[in-house]
């Protein structure tokens, strides 16, 4: 949505609008500043008939928030006469934007929890863009971008990339994908990152994978990686066609130092400490969904059902 005053620029319906004060004071009758995602506060027929002079004195009476389906059924009573006086956002366009609500989701989970597999299945079945922070880091390092060079300095020293670097990278990538459904993987990792993300969009779903420690330890000890691409193999359930060789490039696979048994326990403890406040934040928002188990194929049907309630599948593959 555009801001009040000058020329209006459309905003992605998945992003927080910045508000639209009416000329001369008061609030936008179409409640731009309170519009969140596919929901809209409807004006009652009574408020639609209130004179402009009275409207300028404060908030008009509103019915409770309604769902997208209820709004469509109600056909926006009393609103189809014109445009929002504050942001000049046309009602037909507003209705269209609501109907095409973009899904914003995040997946959380410790190393070895199967996030990559679950993300791939969500992308295939629901058409969400899988946005991996690790992938974007590798791409930017390869392209020698400013943020890539900053991240490389820490990675070469086996240090975690600081919040301000990874946040700058990911928010820039999200800005370029404002018109797409997306699923974030690897971001936000910390509370600082989560709070930065919260400033630009409202999340619809956050899923966290709870996997027993022994299962994670076994998975990580059997995990081999193709560093240039980030492709991950597991010698038990996702082995390469040729042992030690990447399926796509034929280049050698490596086992990361922190995937070796002696380093796994410390790595998992670190994840738990950092992730706890992030999980608590999203739990308090009512968007967190937790899935527990030892096998991704058994967890997947529940994840599939959750997403099916939010977005229409582009293909139906509930079981693998």
């Amino acid at each position: 949505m555009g801001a009040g005053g000058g020329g209006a620029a459309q905003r992605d319906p998945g992003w927080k609008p910045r508000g639209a004060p009416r000329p001369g004071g008061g609030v936008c009758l179409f409640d731009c500043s309170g519009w969140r995602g596919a929901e809209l506060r409807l004006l009652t027929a009574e408020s639609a008939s209130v004179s402009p002079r009275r409207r300028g004195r404060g908030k008009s009476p509103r019915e409770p928030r309604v769902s997208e389906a209820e709004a469509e059924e109600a056909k926006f009573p009393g609103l189809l006469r014109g445009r929002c006086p504050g942001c000049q956002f046309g009602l037909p366009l507003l209705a269209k934007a609501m109907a095409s609500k973009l899904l914003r989701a995040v997946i959380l989970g410790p190393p070895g929890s199967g996030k990559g597999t679950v993300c791939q299945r969500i992308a295939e079945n629901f058409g969400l863009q899988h946005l991996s922070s690790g992938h974007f880091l590798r791409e930017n390092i390869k392209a020698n971008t400013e943020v890539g060079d900053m991240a490389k300095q820490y990675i070469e020293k086996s240090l975690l990339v600081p919040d301000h670097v990874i946040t700058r990278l990911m928010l820039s990538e999200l800005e370029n994908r404002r018109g797409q459904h997306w699923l974030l993987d690897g971001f936000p990792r910390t509370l600082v990152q989560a709070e930065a993300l919260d400033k630009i969009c409202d999340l619809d779903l956050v899923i966290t994978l709870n996997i027993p420690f022994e299962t994670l330890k076994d998975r990580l000890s059997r995990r081999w990686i193709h560093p240039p691409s980030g492709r991950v193999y597991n010698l038990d359930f996702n082995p390469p066609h040729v042992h030690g060789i990447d399926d796509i490039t034929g280049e050698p696979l490596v086992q990361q130092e922190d995937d070796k048994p002696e380093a796994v326990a410390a790595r998992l403890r670190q994840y738990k400490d950092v992730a706890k406040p992030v999980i608590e934040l999203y739990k308090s928002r009512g968007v967190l969904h937790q899935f527990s188990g030892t096998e991704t194929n058994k967890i997947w049907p529940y994840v599939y059902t959750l997403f099916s309630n939010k977005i229409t599948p582009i293909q139906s593959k509930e079981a693998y």
Side-chain angles (χ1 to χ4, degrees), residues 11 36 70 76 90 122 163 182 186 217 228 233 236 246 255 258 266 275 290 310:
R11 291 192 62 83
R36 293 166 59 90
E70 291 170 328
F76 303 98
I122 292 172
D163 286 332
W182 47 247
K217 186 172 70 172
Y233 298 87
D236 290 328
D246 178 51
Q255 186 175 40
D258 54 6
Q290 303 187 58
K310 292 288 185 178

Side-chain angles (χ1 to χ4, degrees), residues 95-125:
K96 180 178 180 182
M98 287 180 60
S100 60
K101 169 70 171 77
L102 297 172
L103 188 68
R104 306 304 192 208
V106 166
I107 184 168
L108 304 173
S113 61
K115 293 195 306 295
T117 300
V118 173
C119 286
Q120 181 181 358
R121 293 180 182 182
I122 292 172
E124 291 174 352
N125 284 272

